């Protein structure tokens, strides 16, 4: 029995060590990428004294992701290195609620960005769509505000539930957030999971419809340009935009699938599947932000100028 206990202790320790190493690497990469977006947009803000709607969403999204990655790393680090900190009543509740709030904000603002691109770029001859296109710049601050408020509601609910999670029916596992709790089936907590699943689904449906409409509009416009024998450069630009939209949709779909699976397996103990789901979820802020950088000409040029290897090639030329 002592050998079994020793083996279990070794497995848990190894799992925590691997978790903290992986999350540290992901947090560093994600923070650097999103920090780059924040710094470039802030410098543009200082120079121009203003930001357009697209830049406002990107700046807000970058800040949310940096905070999310930092809170995730702190939570994982404390549980792996200083597990006794989770014996202190406020710490688990604050970290769990903060991480959930930032995660939901990240998802909703990403969906808002996709909706914004759809309304701004797509071209449909419909009165309501034209009305949205004319008013979209004024609607952006309201989109962001609603995203924050909805995420705040979820965060408050999770903050209340996490008290019972720590001292009642729940036991914290390695990663220390709501989706990694070992939960006893209890009808009292089902509404929280229902609200979370509904929030994921609504954001995902918004991305699906926006991406589909935008892809349809771009593809139709591309065929029109090819029919009219327009310049290849314009066609290439549209093809590039279609590729970026498909990439974003693919990444968002993977992240949504992992969130749903993590929600479904929240009653299970720490296992390799949960670890894999966590890795994919924490990689999403970095990968998606990288796609946003290369889909934005100004951010892409600034990044390429900042990379040492690219600067060396430019100097040789």
């Amino acid at each position: 029995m002592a050998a079994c206990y020793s083996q279990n202790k070794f497995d848990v320790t190894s799992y925590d060590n691997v978790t903290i190493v992986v999350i540290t690497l992901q947090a560093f990469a994600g923070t650097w990428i999103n920090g780059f977006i924040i710094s470039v947009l802030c410098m543009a803000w200082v120079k121009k004294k203003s930001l357009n709607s697209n830049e406002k969403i990107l700046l807000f999204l970058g800040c949310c992701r940096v905070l999310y990655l930092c809170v995730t790393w702190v939570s994982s680090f404390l549980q792996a290195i200083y597990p006794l900190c989770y014996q202190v009543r406020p710490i688990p509740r604050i970290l769990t609620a903060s991480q959930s709030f930032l995660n939901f904000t990240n998802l909703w603002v990403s969906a808002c960005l996709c909706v914004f691109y759809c309304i701004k770029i797509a071209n449909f001859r419909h009165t309501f769509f034209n009305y949205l296109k004319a008013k979209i710049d004024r609607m952006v601050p309201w989109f962001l505000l609603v995203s924050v408020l909805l995420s705040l509601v979820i965060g408050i609910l999770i903050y209340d539930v996490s008290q019972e999670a720590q001292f009642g029916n729940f036991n914290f596992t390695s990663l220390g957030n709501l989706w990694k709790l070992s939960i006893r089936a209890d009808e009292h907590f089902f509404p929280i999971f229902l609200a979370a699943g509904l929030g994921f689904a609504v954001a995902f449906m918004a991305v699906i419809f926006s991406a589909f409409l935008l892809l349809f509009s771009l593809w139709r416009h591309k065929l029109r340009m090819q029919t009219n024998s327009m310049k290849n450069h314009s066609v290439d630009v549209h093809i590039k935009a279609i590729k970026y939209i498909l990439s974003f949709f693919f990444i968002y779909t993977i992240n949504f699938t992992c969130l749903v699976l993590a929600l479904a397996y929240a009653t299970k103990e720490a296992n390799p599947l949960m670890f894999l789901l966590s890795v994919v979820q924490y990689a999403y802020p970095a990968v998606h932000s990288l796609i946003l950088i290369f889909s934005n000409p100004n951010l892409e040029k600034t990044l390429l100028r900042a990379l040492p290897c690219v600067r060396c090639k430019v100097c040789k030329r």
Side-chain angles (χ1 to χ4, degrees):
M1 179 144 182
C4 181
Y5 173 78
S6 177
Q7 181 66 31
N8 291 336
K9 185 176 181 180
F10 173 77
D11 292 340
V12 172
T13 303
S14 301
Y15 179 84
D16 287 339
N17 291 337
V18 173
T19 298
I20 191 61
V21 170
V22 172
I23 291 181
T24 299
L25 294 175
Q26 290 180 321
F28 176 79
T31 303
W32 189 91
I33 293 171
N34 287 281
F36 169 80
I37 295 176
I38 294 172
S39 60
V40 172
L41 293 178
C42 286
M43 287 188 294
W45 192 0
V46 172
K47 290 180 181 179
K48 298 186 301 181
K49 306 298 182 182
S50 63
L51 293 175
N52 58 41
S53 298
N54 179 41
E55 292 171 337
K56 290 176 183 177
I57 299 176
L58 289 177
L59 180 60
F60 189 81
L61 183 60
C63 293
C64 290
R65 286 178 171 173
V66 169
L67 292 174
Y68 171 73
L69 291 169
C70 291
V71 171
T72 298
W73 183 83
V74 170
S75 176
S76 302
F77 180 81
L78 289 178
Q79 285 217 310
I81 309 300
Y82 302 106
L84 292 179
C85 288
Y86 272 78
Q87 303 290 333
V88 183
R89 181 180 292 258
I91 292 179
R93 300 179 66 188
I94 293 174
L95 290 177
T96 300
S98 300
Q99 192 171 355
S100 301
F101 164 73
L102 293 170
N103 188 26
F104 267 90
T105 304
N106 176 21
L107 292 174
W108 275 99
V109 176
S110 298
C112 290
L113 182 64
C114 192
V115 172
F116 172 80
Y117 284 154
C118 175
I119 297 175
K120 200 74 175 178
I121 299 174
N123 188 15
F124 294 102
R125 295 180 180 178
H126 192 277
T127 305
F128 182 69
F129 192 85
N130 291 332
Y131 172 79
L132 292 177
K133 187 182 287 288
K135 300 292 184 180
I136 186 61
D137 290 325
R138 297 182 181 180
M139 295 168 63
V140 165
W142 292 104
F143 281 161
L144 298 179
L145 179 61
V146 170
S147 300
V148 172
L149 292 178
L150 291 175
S151 303
L152 185 61
V153 170
I154 296 295
I156 291 173
L157 292 175
I158 290 174
Y159 181 83
D160 292 335
V161 170
S162 62
Q163 182 179 11
E164 298 183 37
Q166 187 181 6
F167 301 103
N169 298 327
F170 291 79
N171 289 314
F172 280 95
T173 58
S174 308
L175 294 182
N177 56 47
L178 182 66
W179 320 121
K180 310 301 181 290
L181 297 172
S182 177
I183 306 171
R184 189 180 68 181
D186 191 334
E187 294 182 359
H188 177 70
F189 301 104
F190 285 169
I192 302 299
F193 289 93
L194 181 63
L198 183 62
F200 295 153
V202 171
F204 185 61
M205 292 301 294
V207 170
I208 288 179
F209 284 116
S210 300
F212 174 77
L213 291 175
L214 186 53
L215 286 171
F216 178 76
S217 177
L218 289 173
W219 184 261
R220 185 179 60 178
H221 192 58
K222 182 183 86 67
L223 294 178
R224 221 177 266 165
M225 288 191 299
Q226 289 178 333
T227 304
N228 297 332
S229 300
M230 295 184 69
K231 294 181 179 180
N232 291 331
H233 176 70
S234 299
V235 177
D236 292 340
V237 169
H238 279 72
I239 293 176
K240 185 178 180 181
I242 291 173
K243 290 180 179 179
Y244 281 128
I245 295 168
L246 288 174
S247 301
F248 169 63
F249 179 73
F250 180 70
I251 294 297
Y252 201 96
T253 301
I254 292 177
N255 184 60
F256 173 77
T257 304
C258 291
L259 287 171
V260 173
L261 289 176
L263 198 63
Y265 284 91
T267 57
K268 308 297 181 182
E269 294 183 357
N271 56 68
L273 177 60
M274 293 300 294
F275 175 74
L276 179 61
L277 294 176
S278 302
V279 170
V280 175
Q281 289 179 54
Y282 299 147
Y284 170 74
V287 176
H288 180 240
S289 295
L290 203 58
I291 294 175
L292 292 177
I293 289 175
F294 286 105
S295 63
N296 187 300
N298 294 329
L299 292 175
E300 182 182 11
K301 290 178 182 178
T302 306
L303 178 63
L304 294 179
R305 286 200 304 264
L307 293 177
C309 57
V310 177
R311 272 191 312 190
C312 291
K313 292 181 180 180
V314 173
C315 290
K316 289 178 181 180
R317 291 178 184 176

